[in-house]
Amino acid sequence: MLDTKLLEIDDPEAQSDAVDQAAQLLCRGGLVAIPTETVYGLGANALDPQAVKQIYEAKGRPQDNPLIIHIADVEDAKKYAKDIPPEYYELCRRFSPGPLTVILKKQDCIPKETSGGLDTVAIRIPSHPVARAIIRRAQVPIAAPSANLSGKPSPTTAQHCIDDLWGRVDAIVDSGPCSVGVESTVLSLAEEKPILLRPGAITPEQLSEVLGELVIHQAVTGELKQGVKAVSPGMKYKHYSPKAQVTILDGTSEEYIRYVNSHNAPGVYALCFEEDASELRVPYILWGRGEDDGVQAHRLFAALRELDEKEAVQVYARCPSKKGVGLAVYNRLIRAAGFDEREISDEKASR
Ligand code: TXA
Ligand code: MG
């Protein structure tokens, strides 16, 4: 058991001592959970193989699943990546700092522990002021996967990190809830064509404005098919699995309400839009209005953890829009559901 420190940082300038402590722990090879605008990350010095190995141990993460490195300034990208195409800088001008991760060919200084043995590296420039202050103070790139135990929903509050990692890490920084709530968009510029590997708050529509053609990997909207290359090793693993069986219901509000009410039983919960709630006769968790994909993203992982706490057995989730940030919400939800999605629309079901 490690003696985990809790460091509260709301304002990195006013609380520069706590920023120093976090940075020093990282420089000495320690593990620190840090806030970002997407989810909390479990940080270690990305250039220190021993420190990075501990990330995998603390999370229980498969060793071949590479880590994202976090830097504060775009000028640093060339220290860790090579053959960087001009599109990378164009994307950074538009979307960095922010919830975008780009995969590039790696420089030799990135150890195989960080890259999962691949010849590429995933780079992200977070916008969260506390993350930026800690990275700048540490003066090293910070490798950070989401700060959850492997298989649990990603943490969007410091309490989630405490629940999963207390005693397993040197420190947890508490800067309040994350604004975005789902992990960054992952885009590869290391393949023949730009390819979206994981949707996030930077949408395919936005990326296409810069890149023109954008390939969306098959696993973004479904299960990784046998024989399809897992360009991103993370695609192979089951993710975000709550204890309950989650079933996604695709239909109108009326169809959803009718279906859920007729499947009422002990342990049944609804993960519903606000407009569905008033007529539901089962306990529910609200996750925003149907058109409000930003709110759905912000609340999804906390809602999945809450359902676990309530010991839900079966959860019926309303199907998100799959457009804009809705695609990221859908991508996380189908994994939480083990791809159990049902068409409940009368029209289509009766065909
Ligand atoms: O928002 C985020 O991206 C958060 C915060 C902490 O920054 N981090 C995060 O990391 O979600 P993680 O490790 O949970 O997810 C990283 C994903 C994994 O699916 C991994 O397989 C993929 O990115 N990845 C990392 N490096 C890669 C590489 N070189 N090639 C392909 N995929 C890579
Ligand atoms: Mg993760």
Side-chain angles (χ1 to χ4, degrees):
M1 274 282 277
L2 289 173
D3 177 20
T4 306
K5 282 190 192 64
L6 188 61
L7 301 169
E8 276 183 38
I9 311 181
D10 296 314
D11 175 348
E13 270 174 44
Q15 289 150 299
S16 62
D17 285 357
V19 172
D20 273 344
Q21 274 191 59
Q24 275 176 22
L25 286 168
L26 288 164
C27 290
R28 289 193 207 121
L31 294 184
V32 181
I34 58 170
T36 83
E37 69 279 18
T38 56
V39 300
Y40 275 75
L42 177 53
N45 176 357
L47 305 178
D48 178 344
Q50 290 309 322
V52 168
K53 271 191 195 157
Q54 290 174 41
I55 292 183
Y56 291 95
E57 276 166 31
K59 271 187 69 103
R61 178 179 172 113
Q63 300 255 353
D64 71 338
N65 196 359
L67 305 173
I68 296 172
I69 72 163
H70 299 71
I71 60 176
D73 301 289
V74 64
E75 293 74 44
D76 287 342
K78 59 180 182 300
K79 295 186 198 162
Y80 312 114
K82 61 184 180 190
D83 307 334
I84 302 178
E87 293 86 339
Y88 175 72
Y89 293 103
E90 186 69 24
L91 288 166
C92 287
R93 267 193 292 282
R94 286 281 297 276
F95 307 119
S96 273
L100 176 65
T101 297
V102 182
I103 293 166
L104 299 163
K105 292 268 179 275
K106 81 173 188 74
Q107 294 277 17
D108 293 341
C109 63
I110 298 294
K112 62 178 188 317
E113 286 75 8
T114 300
S115 68
L118 300 175
D119 60 0
T120 51
V121 62
I123 302 187
R124 172 156 124 74
I125 308 174
S127 62
H128 197 294
V130 175
R132 298 176 64 74
I134 293 171
I135 297 166
R136 287 212 165 110
R137 198 70 60 91
Q139 295 187 314
V140 290
I142 304 299
S146 47
N148 52 291
L149 287 175
S150 217
K152 292 260 259 163
S154 291
T156 54
T157 66
Q159 186 60 51
H160 297 157
C161 302
I162 293 171
D163 292 343
D164 282 13
L165 297 175
W166 194 259
R168 293 171 161 264
V169 300
D170 296 286
I172 294 173
V173 176
D174 183 354
S175 304
C178 302
S179 57
V180 176
V182 293
E183 308 89 336
S184 61
T185 303
V186 178
L187 170 78
S188 177
L189 293 181
E191 304 282 319
E192 246 164 67
K193 289 179 181 166
I195 168 162
L196 179 72
L197 302 180
R198 182 174 75 182
I202 305 298
T203 65
E205 296 84 347
Q206 287 175 307
L207 294 174
S208 293
E209 281 172 25
V210 174
L211 299 168
E213 195 188 0
L214 173 70
V215 179
I216 298 187
H217 194 282
Q218 170 266 320
V220 166
T221 53
E223 198 164 4
L224 180 68
K225 289 198 186 116
Q226 285 222 320
V228 174
K229 184 180 163 204
V231 184
S232 192
M235 288 170 171
K236 289 185 302 204
Y237 302 107
K238 197 170 178 231
H239 263 82
Y240 326 114
S241 49
K243 291 184 202 112
Q245 174 61 49
V246 177
T247 302
I248 304 169
L249 300 177
D250 196 356
T252 64
S253 186
E254 294 74 43
E255 288 158 347
Y256 175 77
I257 292 163
R258 203 180 317 137
Y259 188 100
V260 173
N261 284 344
S262 68
H263 288 74
N264 195 354
V268 167
Y269 279 81
L271 181 58
C272 68
F273 298 154
E274 272 159 40
E275 57 268 33
D276 308 326
S278 64
E279 290 179 54
L280 280 176
R281 291 195 299 272
V282 308
Y284 56 78
I285 290 186
L286 295 175
W287 62 324
R289 293 191 59 76
E291 72 271 14
D292 214 342
D293 50 9
V295 175
Q296 291 158 26
H298 180 71
R299 292 195 190 156
L300 177 64
F301 289 138
L304 292 175
R305 282 179 183 256
E306 197 179 325
L307 287 161
D308 269 353
E309 277 161 29
K310 293 181 187 299
E311 299 185 349
V313 176
Q314 170 71 56
V315 177
Y316 292 113
R318 201 55 207 287
C319 189
S321 78
K322 306 181 199 174
K323 288 200 205 73
V325 184
L327 182 65
V329 178
Y330 178 72
N331 170 274
R332 306 313 188 269
L333 191 61
I334 50 177
R335 284 165 171 77
F339 305 98
D340 181 10
E341 181 178 347
R342 289 183 207 161
E343 178 61 66
I344 52 162
S345 145
D346 294 340
E347 203 189 309
K348 290 188 191 156
S350 63
R351 252 189 287 165

